Amino acid sequence: MSIQLKDAGLLKTQAYIDGQWVDGEEGVTFPVLNPATGETIAEVASVTAGQTRQAIEAAEKAMKSWRALPAKERSDLLERWHQLILDNQEDLAVLMTAEQGKPLFESRGEVMYGASFLKWFAEEGKRVYGDVLPSTQDRRSIVIKQPVGVVAAITPWNFPNAMITRKVAPALAVGCAMVLKPAAETPLSALALVELAERAGLPAGLFSVLPSATASAVGGEMTSNPIVKKVTFTGSTGVGKLLMKQCADTVKRTSMELGGNAPVIVFDDADLDKAVAGALVSKYRNSGQTCICANRLLVQAGIYDAFVEKFAAAVKEFRIGNGLEESTTHGPVITEKAVADIHAKVDAAVAEGAEVVLGGKVSEQGSHFYEPTILTGVTQDMSLFKEEIFGPVAPIFKFETEEEAIDMANDTEFGLASYVYTNDLGRIWRVSEGIDYGMVGVNETMISSEIIPFGGVKESGQGREGSKYGLDDYLETKYICLGGL
Ligand code: ADP
């Protein structure tokens, strides 16, 4: 075993169903690989559709008493869980880097970011208010908010911790129970999280974690089982659409956090150094594998050459390598297939006339690494303009006018995050209001935190996670009419 943890009890390889650690009922396991080395770090139990059903039934049972507790008692569990995550930050970070590849400093940051949702919703869950509506003399119209019911969650590999906590924290805070299928690439972070939840006093059945090699079997049960009232998903737009279709038969509510095609719009009047620094971290964090990653850098003609020069100089300073080494600034890409997909997109752009300023090939570090790449000479008619790259590739497009920049930003079916660099106050408002995105960062690209409503429009999804608005995704609105007064 190549992972050294201070607390070896955090490396779990069984599924967690109804408060028990169990093997897959067919005895099947699947390997979890370290993307930096290709070595197998664990064999994890693969659950079946039948075990998923069992977890859902246990959730229904557990939810009955959980929802009846005072919000403060639910909050106490989340607070204890939060503290245990902080206490075990380093182990959780090491596990994450080992299975996901991101450098340790990013993993440490994600563990803190993930924990922040538990703290936030521990507090926010106590503030689920109702309403008394203006009524006629003989009646009172009252609105109360109630937990939506058993929630099924499906999460991706790019943020193996935070994408889970920001779903489970609001769900449990308001009185729901949850069953979760983590990505097959990164189940260890999810299992360590639920181990800590168990230590914090998690009631049996309230939160089951179902790793599986067959996502469609688990997903099929989650989306068809009538007990499940809501499906929350973070992942690709294609799978999101499939899950929405599957949910239609039982009219489940859904929250979808899907793909993005984030523009970073840099105007001539921007602070160039800030724009370069912001674009750089947004583009290359997690080796370009985040749904809010800068996907298209749109730079105004007057500042274009200077921007490209500074951006390239900064990228040359990157230290690519195994994320477990402290000196590494940028880790591998999740799988060899992902490397091949990224390279195919670069190849296609080059065939269409793009120029490679830096990178453009698989790294000498090994088959899981792709060189940080910069492309110029790219245009709106190229396929790259419309695609989510999900890798360390920065195409830098040129524009002339504000109107053109807004049109280019909106020329995509996606609408998750967007970024604008300018010092003109009028332009900040015009562009922020004119671009069709769920989130706009003005002179800032690190926009995520537990206090903000994270989510997209168009085919980037629906629903919001985090913030006071994030509670709504797990609540139903009930109207009670008190008549005959
Ligand atoms: P990515 O391309 O980032 O891996 P996916 O959308 O394929 O994104 O994966 C996100 C999550 O969706 C993962 O947990 C994956 O296992 C799950 N998933 C993929 N296909 C299905 C499916 N048919 N049904 C349910 N879950 C699925």
Side-chain angles (χ1 to χ4, degrees), residues 46-74:
S46 180
V47 309
T48 61
Q51 286 176 300
T52 306
R53 200 173 311 129
Q54 190 195 334
I56 291 168
E57 285 164 6
E60 185 183 38
K61 193 160 157 260
M63 195 184 142
K64 285 201 175 83
S65 45
W66 179 249
R67 67 182 292 175
L69 289 178
K72 186 177 177 312
E73 285 182 38
R74 293 196 296 266

Side-chain angles (χ1 to χ4, degrees), residues 154-157 181-185 215-216 219 233-236 239 242-243 390:
I154 300 178
T155 52
W157 48 261
K181 193 201 82 60
E185 292 84 355
S216 57
F233 172 73
T234 300
S236 62
V239 173
L242 175 74
L243 295 172
F390 232 66

Side-chain angles (χ1 to χ4, degrees), residues 34-36 96-103 286 321-324 330-332 334:
N34 178 338
M96 187 187 299
T97 292
E99 66 177 347
Q100 201 277 342
K102 64 179 69 177
N286 201 4
N322 186 332
L324 288 171
H330 293 79
I334 189 76

Side-chain angles (χ1 to χ4, degrees), residues 183-205:
E185 292 84 355
T186 58
L188 302 179
S189 294
L191 294 168
L193 272 176
V194 75
E195 163 68 19
L196 292 174
E198 188 181 43
R199 293 182 194 177
L202 181 77

